[in-house]
Amino acid sequence: PAELTLDIEITENLQQEGERVLQALQSLHSIGLGLSIDDFGTGYSSLSYLKRLPVSSLKADRSFVHDVPDDSDNVAILAATIAMAHNLNLEVVAEGVETDAQLEFLRAQGCDELQGFLISRPLDAASIEPLLHADHRVAGARPSHVPTPLEPA
């Protein structure tokens, strides 16, 4: 089973806060907390700052996922985001996955994790607990750490 860690989601806009925030994020990372950039691509994105952040994943905003695979601009943005993140040794989480077509596109691009109604509607704590103990994988993706979507609720 994969090791469980607490993951804190930050927004791109924190990049504007400067060195003090960067030092705080590095301190959080040093004590074992995971850091993810939420809603990636919708805020202030400095690629030079991105490479300095101690983050382990980018969360591609649902606004890019929504019209995939029909919107060629969103296809290009997601493909580039996934490729860039993987080249920086970061995982990618796609937010707002609602259709099989979106799932297939993201699978083909090597997206690491998925969130959205296709996977599950929001659940209470008692309903989510069995899912936390299950081992789910996306077929064809990087096998060591890729949860799969669950059957639609």
Side-chain angles (χ1 to χ4, degrees), residues 118-135:
L118 181 66
I119 289 90
S120 177
R121 297 281 181 186
L123 300 170
D124 61 26
S127 299
I128 194 77
E129 188 173 351
L131 300 176
L132 294 174
H133 299 289
D135 183 22

Side-chain angles (χ1 to χ4, degrees), residues 7 35-41 50 55-62 64-65 77-95 97 105-107 109-115 138 141-142 145-147:
D7 195 66
L35 298 170
S36 299
I37 297 180
D38 194 24
D39 301 330
F40 185 77
L50 174 62
V55 297
S56 57
S57 64
L58 302 180
K59 295 185 75 179
D61 188 70
R62 67 184 315 111
F64 300 117
V65 174
I77 289 168
L78 281 171
T81 298
I82 293 167
M84 177 191 67
H86 287 168
N87 283 320
L88 292 170
N89 295 312
L90 302 175
E91 292 185 358
V92 179
V93 179
E95 299 178 317
V97 180
F105 168 79
L106 292 163
R107 179 179 284 152
Q109 296 303 311
C111 187
D112 302 293
E113 296 182 16
L114 310 169
Q115 292 179 343
V138 174
R142 297 187 292 175
H145 59 286
V146 184

Side-chain angles (χ1 to χ4, degrees), residues 6 12 14 17 21 23 26 28-29 36 47 50 54 61 69 76 81 84 100 122-123 128 131 140 144:
L6 178 62
E12 293 171 293
L14 275 182
E17 300 298 323
V21 169
Q23 290 173 356
Q26 288 170 336
L28 291 171
H29 178 72
S36 299
L47 298 179
L50 174 62
D61 188 70
T81 298
M84 177 191 67
D100 288 329
L123 300 170
I128 194 77
L131 300 176
S144 63

Side-chain angles (χ1 to χ4, degrees), residues 31-76:
I31 62 169
L33 294 177
L35 298 170
S36 299
I37 297 180
D38 194 24
D39 301 330
F40 185 77
T42 62
Y44 174 82
S45 295
S46 165
L47 298 179
S48 66
Y49 198 75
L50 174 62
K51 73 178 189 176
R52 295 175 56 207
L53 288 172
V55 297
S56 57
S57 64
L58 302 180
K59 295 185 75 179
D61 188 70
R62 67 184 315 111
S63 64
F64 300 117
V65 174
H66 180 69
D67 292 325
V68 164
D70 300 323
D71 182 316
S72 62
D73 291 339
N74 283 349
V75 164

